Structures are given as structure tokens and as C-alpha cells.
Amino acid sequence: MSGPALGIAAWGLVTGVAMVKSGLTLAQALGMTLLVFAGSAQLAAMPLMAAGAPLWVLLATAFCVNLRFVIFSAQWRHYFGHLPRRQRLALGYFAGDLNFVYFVQRFPEPQPAPGQLAYFLGTVAVNWTSWQLASIVGILAAHAIPTQWGLGFAGVLALLGLSYSLLNERRLWWTALVAGLVSIAAYQLPLRLHIVAAIAAAGLFAWLLKRLAAR
């Protein structure tokens, strides 16, 4: 995790700054970064909160942005399903995208094996610490960091690097292309609904590809 830790920190810094500049108080921003710990959902929610969007829109957007964790968790269940529920819930809080990528590469067989829990905890320790330290710095120094620094682009680069590591099949590339095109086409929708539209289109496209492959 030492390699992508810098990108994770950049993303966390961006999110910390965005929370404060969106109007959250210091206590609210610190509470969100420590309790929510979901950068993409936080960044998607910030403009909605600033615009006074209805609560259901905010919750639906955060839910859709984080739908990938349903897939991640379903896969992790093969490895950690035997653990007590309380422990699994704790693992779920610390789980991140890169942790999943590295974990399934290290343990391709979906079954319990020695060393899996230690490996998981090691990756999330680096991921969580890199994120939280940078996010807290961003929160505390938000008013001293000029917007023109272009920190948002650093967050985008971190996300692109993560997305590229996940695109290991041709059908995933096509699905990502559909999501990107729909997101651009629907960008003028209010309340960041282009994100929801892109996720729905990508999900439908992936389902159609699966049905065609089954024939």
C-alpha cells in the first residue's frame, strides 16, 4: 500500500478541503471524515448539501456511489464469513477500494486461508491512516489552501488510477465507457443526478452483456 498511499492522501486532502468550503463546521467535517470514511460519497454529497437538496436525494446519491461495496462485501464474505458478525461489521467500516483490489490479487481463491486477516488489517491500516491524516489536514487548513491549486485534479488522478487497476476484462472496459458517456451526456441534470444516471446505465449494460454471454 506504500505506492498508492500518496494518491490516497491527495484524495483525502481534497475531500477535507471540500467539506469545509462547502459550509460544514469544523466539528461536522471531522465527524464526517471519521464516521463516513467514503471519499467518493462525501465528494458527491457536498454540493448537494450546499445546494439544500432533499435528504432522499443526498442519501440516494451516496447509496448509488457506494454500491460497489455490496459487490466487494459479497466477495469478502467467502474469506471472512466465518468470523463473528461484530468483527465483520468492524472490517466493513475499514474496507476500501484498493484494499479489495490488493486482497483478491493476493488471495485469488475465494476461501479462508492463513494470513488473510493480517493482510487485510495491514492494508487498511495504511489506507485509513493515509486518508484520515490528509483529510484532517485539509479540514484544518482549508481556508489557507487556495482553490486554484487544483487539488481536485489530484483526487481525480487517484480515482483514475484506482479505476484502471479494476478494469481487467474487456466487458468492464465497455461498461466503464458506457458509464462515462452517460455521465457526460447527463451532466446538466440537477443535484448531481448524472452520477445516478451513469451508474444505472452501467448496471443495465453489464446485465445485458451477462445475458448475451449466457446464450
Side-chain angles (χ1 to χ4, degrees):
M1 291 295 292
S2 59
L6 186 59
I8 294 169
W11 190 10
L13 182 67
V14 169
T15 306
V17 173
M19 285 190 289
V20 174
K21 295 201 172 185
S22 294
L24 294 187
T25 66
L26 178 63
Q28 289 171 337
L30 289 173
M32 175 172 274
T33 193
L34 293 172
L35 296 176
V36 178
F37 183 45
S40 54
Q42 290 172 236
L43 289 175
M46 286 301 100
L48 300 178
M49 296 175 70
L55 181 61
W56 73 267
V57 174
L58 188 136
L59 293 176
T61 300
F63 179 80
C64 289
V65 169
N66 277 341
L67 273 176
R68 66 194 186 279
F69 282 98
V70 177
I71 301 172
F72 295 167
S73 299
Q75 182 71 5
W76 262 320
R77 183 175 179 83
H78 296 299
Y79 302 95
F80 301 134
H82 62 284
L83 298 176
R85 178 176 298 175
R86 182 178 299 180
Q87 189 172 0
R88 281 182 278 136
L89 288 173
L91 295 179
Y93 162 77
F94 287 103
D97 303 85
L98 281 175
N99 307 124
F100 177 79
V101 173
Y102 281 102
F103 188 91
V104 295
Q105 289 177 350
R106 176 66 177 81
F107 301 101
E109 293 298 326
Q111 59 187 17
Q116 290 177 345
L117 184 58
Y119 185 88
F120 178 91
L121 293 176
T123 58
V124 300
V126 177
N127 185 70
W128 188 89
T129 304
S130 300
W131 171 273
Q132 295 294 359
L133 288 179
S135 181
I136 292 172
V137 169
I139 291 169
L140 298 177
H143 296 298
I145 297 177
T147 306
Q148 59 268 27
W149 276 15
L151 291 173
F153 186 62
V156 171
L157 290 179
L159 281 174
L160 286 176
L162 170 62
S163 300
Y164 180 76
S165 67
L166 293 172
L167 300 178
N168 53 11
E169 298 179 23
R170 182 178 297 178
R171 64 183 180 86
L172 295 179
W173 279 98
W174 282 109
T175 303
L177 178 62
V178 168
L181 291 175
V182 171
S183 178
I184 294 171
Y187 187 76
Q188 296 303 322
L189 289 176
L191 304 177
R192 300 270 178 164
L193 290 177
H194 66 287
I195 298 175
V196 180
I199 293 172
L204 178 61
F205 183 76
W207 178 79
L208 289 173
L209 284 181
K210 186 176 180 181
R211 291 293 299 272
L212 290 173
R215 290 184 177 180

